[in-house]
Amino acid sequence: MSIIVAPSLLAADFLNLESEMKMLNRSEADWIHLDIMDGVFVPNISFGFPVVNRLREVTLKPLDVHLMIVRPEKFVDEVAAAGATFMNVHYEACTHLHRVVQEIRKRGMKPAVTLNPHTPVQVLEDILPDLDMVLLMSVNPGFGGQQFIEHSVRKTAALREMILRQQTSTLIEVDGGVNQETGRRLVDAGADVLVAGSFVFSSERPEETIHRLRML
Ligand code: DX5
Ligand code: ZN
Protein backbone atom coordinates (compact mmCIF):
# COMPACT_ATOMS: atom_id res chain seq x y z
CA MET A 1 0.00 0.00 0.00
CA SER A 2 1.37 3.42 -0.89
CA ILE A 3 1.74 6.35 1.47
CA ILE A 4 -0.94 9.03 1.26
CA VAL A 5 0.59 12.29 0.04
CA ALA A 6 -1.09 15.64 0.63
CA PRO A 7 0.82 18.54 -0.96
CA SER A 8 0.37 21.79 1.00
CA LEU A 9 -0.75 24.59 -1.28
CA LEU A 10 0.88 27.15 1.03
CA ALA A 11 4.10 26.73 -0.94
CA ALA A 12 2.41 27.08 -4.36
CA ASP A 13 2.76 30.11 -6.63
CA PHE A 14 -0.33 32.12 -5.67
CA LEU A 15 -0.16 34.12 -8.90
CA ASN A 16 -0.56 30.90 -10.85
CA LEU A 17 -2.88 28.88 -8.66
CA GLU A 18 -4.77 27.50 -11.64
CA SER A 19 -1.71 25.90 -13.19
CA GLU A 20 -0.59 24.64 -9.76
CA MET A 21 -4.00 23.00 -9.32
CA LYS A 22 -3.78 21.46 -12.79
CA MET A 23 -0.39 20.03 -11.90
CA LEU A 24 -1.85 18.53 -8.70
CA ASN A 25 -4.79 17.10 -10.64
CA ARG A 26 -2.40 15.40 -13.09
CA SER A 27 -0.19 14.17 -10.25
CA GLU A 28 -0.66 11.17 -8.00
CA ALA A 29 -1.33 13.46 -5.02
CA ASP A 30 -3.96 11.75 -2.90
CA TRP A 31 -5.34 14.84 -1.18
CA ILE A 32 -4.74 18.60 -1.20
CA HIS A 33 -3.72 20.12 2.14
CA LEU A 34 -5.03 23.65 2.75
CA ASP A 35 -3.56 25.77 5.56
CA ILE A 36 -5.87 28.41 6.98
CA MET A 37 -4.25 30.85 9.46
CA ASP A 38 -5.72 33.71 11.45
CA GLY A 39 -2.73 35.73 12.69
CA VAL A 40 -3.81 34.96 16.28
CA PHE A 41 -3.31 31.24 16.86
CA VAL A 42 -0.22 31.46 14.64
CA PRO A 43 1.90 34.51 13.75
CA ASN A 44 0.85 34.53 10.10
CA ILE A 45 -2.23 34.91 7.88
CA SER A 46 -2.72 32.74 4.80
CA PHE A 47 -5.97 32.50 2.84
CA GLY A 48 -9.64 31.97 3.63
CA PHE A 49 -12.89 30.50 2.36
CA PRO A 50 -13.27 32.50 -0.88
CA VAL A 51 -10.04 30.91 -2.08
CA VAL A 52 -10.91 27.40 -0.80
CA ASN A 53 -14.32 27.56 -2.50
CA ARG A 54 -12.75 28.37 -5.87
CA LEU A 55 -10.16 25.61 -5.47
CA ARG A 56 -12.93 23.12 -4.78
CA GLU A 57 -14.40 23.87 -8.21
CA VAL A 58 -11.27 22.78 -10.05
CA THR A 59 -10.38 19.53 -8.33
CA LEU A 60 -11.97 16.24 -7.37
CA LYS A 61 -9.16 15.42 -4.94
CA PRO A 62 -10.21 15.31 -1.28
CA LEU A 63 -9.48 18.55 0.59
CA ASP A 64 -7.62 18.23 3.87
CA VAL A 65 -8.26 21.55 5.65
CA HIS A 66 -5.85 22.45 8.47
CA LEU A 67 -7.23 25.28 10.59
CA MET A 68 -4.56 27.19 12.49
CA ILE A 69 -7.10 29.48 14.09
CA VAL A 70 -8.59 30.14 17.51
CA ARG A 71 -12.15 28.90 18.04
CA PRO A 72 -12.32 26.71 14.91
CA GLU A 73 -15.80 25.55 16.01
CA LYS A 74 -17.15 28.84 14.63
CA PHE A 75 -16.33 27.73 11.08
CA VAL A 76 -17.55 24.13 10.89
CA ASP A 77 -20.34 25.15 8.47
CA GLU A 78 -18.00 27.12 6.22
CA VAL A 79 -15.48 24.28 6.05
CA ALA A 80 -18.24 21.78 5.25
CA ALA A 81 -19.70 24.11 2.59
CA ALA A 82 -16.26 24.37 1.00
CA GLY A 83 -16.40 20.60 0.42
CA ALA A 84 -13.68 19.56 2.85
CA THR A 85 -13.22 15.85 3.46
CA PHE A 86 -11.04 16.32 6.57
CA MET A 87 -11.37 19.18 9.05
CA ASN A 88 -8.25 19.45 11.20
CA VAL A 89 -8.55 21.48 14.41
CA HIS A 90 -5.76 22.12 16.87
CA TYR A 91 -5.96 20.46 20.27
CA GLU A 92 -4.50 23.69 21.71
CA ALA A 93 -7.32 25.80 20.21
CA CYS A 94 -10.30 23.81 21.52
CA THR A 95 -11.53 23.93 25.12
CA HIS A 96 -14.38 21.56 24.27
CA LEU A 97 -12.61 19.33 21.80
CA HIS A 98 -15.05 16.44 22.10
CA ARG A 99 -17.96 18.70 21.17
CA VAL A 100 -16.10 20.15 18.17
CA VAL A 101 -15.24 16.66 16.91
CA GLN A 102 -18.90 15.61 17.09
CA GLU A 103 -19.95 18.79 15.22
CA ILE A 104 -17.47 18.08 12.44
CA ARG A 105 -18.78 14.54 12.01
CA LYS A 106 -22.38 15.74 12.13
CA ARG A 107 -21.63 17.98 9.14
CA GLY A 108 -20.44 14.96 7.16
CA MET A 109 -16.69 15.58 7.46
CA LYS A 110 -13.94 13.41 8.93
CA PRO A 111 -12.62 14.89 12.18
CA ALA A 112 -8.88 15.23 12.71
CA VAL A 113 -7.02 16.72 15.66
CA THR A 114 -3.68 18.47 15.26
CA LEU A 115 -0.95 18.60 17.91
CA ASN A 116 1.69 21.31 18.16
CA PRO A 117 5.28 20.08 18.61
CA HIS A 118 5.15 20.60 22.40
CA THR A 119 1.87 18.70 22.96
CA PRO A 120 2.36 15.03 23.91
CA VAL A 121 0.29 12.38 22.12
CA GLN A 122 -0.91 11.08 25.50
CA VAL A 123 -3.50 13.90 25.67
CA LEU A 124 -5.39 12.02 22.92
CA GLU A 125 -5.92 8.80 24.92
CA ASP A 126 -9.63 9.48 25.53
CA ILE A 127 -10.57 11.14 22.22
CA LEU A 128 -8.68 8.79 19.87
CA PRO A 129 -11.63 6.45 19.07
CA ASP A 130 -13.62 9.49 17.86
CA LEU A 131 -10.99 10.64 15.37
CA ASP A 132 -10.41 9.68 11.75
CA MET A 133 -6.93 11.19 11.84
CA VAL A 134 -4.32 12.80 14.07
CA LEU A 135 -2.06 15.43 12.51
CA LEU A 136 1.33 15.76 14.19
CA MET A 137 3.07 19.09 13.54
CA SER A 138 6.75 18.51 12.90
CA VAL A 139 7.42 22.28 12.80
CA ASN A 140 5.81 25.11 14.75
CA PRO A 141 2.74 25.97 12.67
CA GLY A 142 2.55 29.23 10.74
CA PHE A 143 5.12 29.02 7.98
CA GLY A 144 6.29 26.71 5.24
CA GLY A 145 9.93 25.87 4.63
CA GLN A 146 10.99 25.37 8.26
CA GLN A 147 13.37 22.79 9.65
CA PHE A 148 11.96 19.42 10.67
CA ILE A 149 11.80 18.90 14.46
CA GLU A 150 13.52 15.59 15.20
CA HIS A 151 11.37 14.38 18.08
CA SER A 152 8.46 14.07 15.63
CA VAL A 153 9.76 10.63 14.64
CA ARG A 154 9.54 9.33 18.23
CA LYS A 155 6.16 10.99 18.60
CA THR A 156 4.87 9.25 15.48
CA ALA A 157 6.03 5.91 16.92
CA ALA A 158 4.33 6.66 20.26
CA LEU A 159 1.06 7.49 18.50
CA ARG A 160 1.28 4.34 16.38
CA GLU A 161 1.72 2.35 19.59
CA MET A 162 -1.37 4.01 21.12
CA ILE A 163 -3.44 3.29 17.98
CA LEU A 164 -2.37 -0.38 17.98
CA ARG A 165 -3.12 -0.70 21.68
CA GLN A 166 -6.56 0.88 21.35
CA GLN A 167 -7.22 -0.97 18.08
CA THR A 168 -8.54 2.10 16.25
CA SER A 169 -8.10 2.79 12.53
CA THR A 170 -6.99 6.41 13.05
CA LEU A 171 -4.62 7.71 10.37
CA ILE A 172 -1.37 9.41 11.37
CA GLU A 173 -0.53 12.50 9.31
CA VAL A 174 2.68 14.50 9.72
CA ASP A 175 3.15 18.10 8.57
CA GLY A 176 6.26 20.28 8.37
CA GLY A 177 9.74 19.86 6.97
CA VAL A 178 8.81 16.67 5.16
CA ASN A 179 11.19 15.59 2.40
CA GLN A 180 12.40 12.25 1.06
CA GLU A 181 14.68 11.65 4.05
CA THR A 182 12.45 12.80 6.93
CA GLY A 183 9.48 11.21 5.14
CA ARG A 184 11.24 7.84 5.06
CA ARG A 185 11.85 7.94 8.82
CA LEU A 186 8.27 9.02 9.54
CA VAL A 187 6.89 6.17 7.45
CA ASP A 188 9.16 3.71 9.26
CA ALA A 189 7.82 5.06 12.56
CA GLY A 190 4.22 4.52 11.45
CA ALA A 191 3.00 7.58 9.52
CA ASP A 192 0.21 7.04 6.96
CA VAL A 193 -0.05 10.53 5.46
CA LEU A 194 2.73 12.97 4.58
CA VAL A 195 2.05 16.68 4.03
CA ALA A 196 4.73 18.37 1.94
CA GLY A 197 4.80 22.02 0.90
CA SER A 198 8.14 23.43 -0.15
CA PHE A 199 9.60 20.00 -0.97
CA VAL A 200 6.93 19.53 -3.65
CA PHE A 201 6.51 23.06 -4.98
CA SER A 202 10.18 24.04 -5.06
CA SER A 203 11.04 20.82 -6.83
CA GLU A 204 11.87 20.99 -10.54
CA ARG A 205 9.58 18.05 -11.23
CA PRO A 206 6.81 18.26 -8.63
CA GLU A 207 4.80 15.38 -10.10
CA GLU A 208 7.79 13.09 -9.85
CA THR A 209 8.48 14.32 -6.30
CA ILE A 210 4.91 13.44 -5.31
CA HIS A 211 5.30 10.01 -6.92
CA ARG A 212 8.53 9.35 -5.02
CA LEU A 213 6.99 10.35 -1.69
CA ARG A 214 4.12 7.94 -2.29
CA MET A 215 6.60 5.12 -2.85
CA LEU A 216 8.34 5.60 0.53
C1 DX5 B 1 2.76 25.00 8.46
C2 DX5 B 1 1.72 24.33 7.64
C3 DX5 B 1 2.27 23.34 6.70
C4 DX5 B 1 3.28 23.90 5.73
C5 DX5 B 1 4.31 22.84 5.50
O1 DX5 B 1 2.18 25.80 9.42
O2 DX5 B 1 0.78 23.66 8.46
O3 DX5 B 1 1.26 22.60 6.04
O4 DX5 B 1 2.72 24.30 4.50
O5 DX5 B 1 5.31 23.36 4.74
P1 DX5 B 1 6.70 22.62 4.49
O6 DX5 B 1 6.38 21.28 3.90
O7 DX5 B 1 7.40 23.53 3.56
O8 DX5 B 1 7.36 22.50 5.84
ZN1 ZN C 1 -0.65 22.25 7.45
Side-chain angles (χ1 to χ4, degrees):
M1 214 185 68
S2 61
I3 296 304
I4 296 169
V5 173
S8 163
L9 212 67
L10 193 62
D13 176 0
F14 286 174
L15 199 55
N16 291 299
L17 266 187
E18 187 174 10
S19 61
E20 301 279 47
M21 288 301 284
K22 283 183 179 155
M23 179 281 288
L24 291 176
N25 281 343
R26 278 193 312 269
S27 80
E28 293 169 37
D30 297 275
W31 307 340
I32 296 174
H33 183 85
L34 300 175
D35 291 297
I36 299 186
M37 306 177 188
D38 66 355
V40 179
F41 183 71
V42 289
N44 197 9
I45 295 177
S46 55
F47 48 79
F49 297 112
V51 175
V52 179
N53 286 326
R54 288 290 283 151
L55 297 174
R56 168 76 291 164
E57 292 170 25
V58 296
T59 186
L60 293 173
K61 305 231 182 207
L63 301 182
D64 171 31
V65 178
H66 176 196
L67 293 157
M68 284 159 274
I69 65 173
V70 295
R71 305 201 50 203
E73 68 277 6
K74 288 201 296 185
F75 296 100
V76 178
D77 285 336
E78 281 83 352
V79 178
T85 297
F86 285 91
M87 177 166 170
N88 282 282
V89 297
H90 269 260
Y91 169 83
E92 302 83 3
C94 299
T95 308
H96 298 287
L97 184 61
H98 185 270
R99 180 182 293 146
V100 182
V101 164
Q102 310 309 317
E103 291 290 317
I104 294 171
R105 201 178 287 291
K106 223 188 283 169
R107 305 297 207 290
M109 296 179 288
K110 294 175 194 272
V113 169
T114 309
L115 299 186
N116 273 336
H118 72 273
T119 306
V121 296
Q122 286 74 16
V123 299
L124 299 175
E125 282 282 357
D126 291 348
I127 194 91
L128 192 68
D130 296 297
L131 305 181
D132 282 55
M133 184 161 76
V134 173
L135 168 52
L136 299 177
M137 288 310 301
S138 42
V139 297
N140 283 296
F143 302 91
Q146 301 182 82
Q147 177 146 12
F148 182 76
I149 297 173
E150 280 300 322
H151 80 228
S152 315
V153 178
R154 278 199 311 278
K155 209 164 155 178
T156 301
L159 180 57
R160 173 56 62 202
E161 195 271 326
M162 189 193 298
I163 289 170
L164 287 172
R165 177 165 43 79
Q166 292 205 27
Q167 299 186 330
T168 64
S169 51
T170 328
L171 293 170
I172 303 179
E173 179 175 45
V174 189
D175 182 7
V178 169
N179 56 34
Q180 205 70 20
E181 185 264 329
T182 54
R184 167 81 267 155
R185 288 191 287 137
L186 290 167
V187 168
D188 287 346
D192 305 291
V193 186
L194 298 176
V195 175
S198 38
F199 186 60
V200 166
F201 287 96
S202 64
S203 139
E204 277 186 19
R205 284 183 286 277
E207 290 170 64
E208 195 182 311
T209 302
I210 291 166
H211 170 77
R212 288 180 51 221
L213 282 174
R214 285 185 91 238
M215 292 303 116
L216 279 176

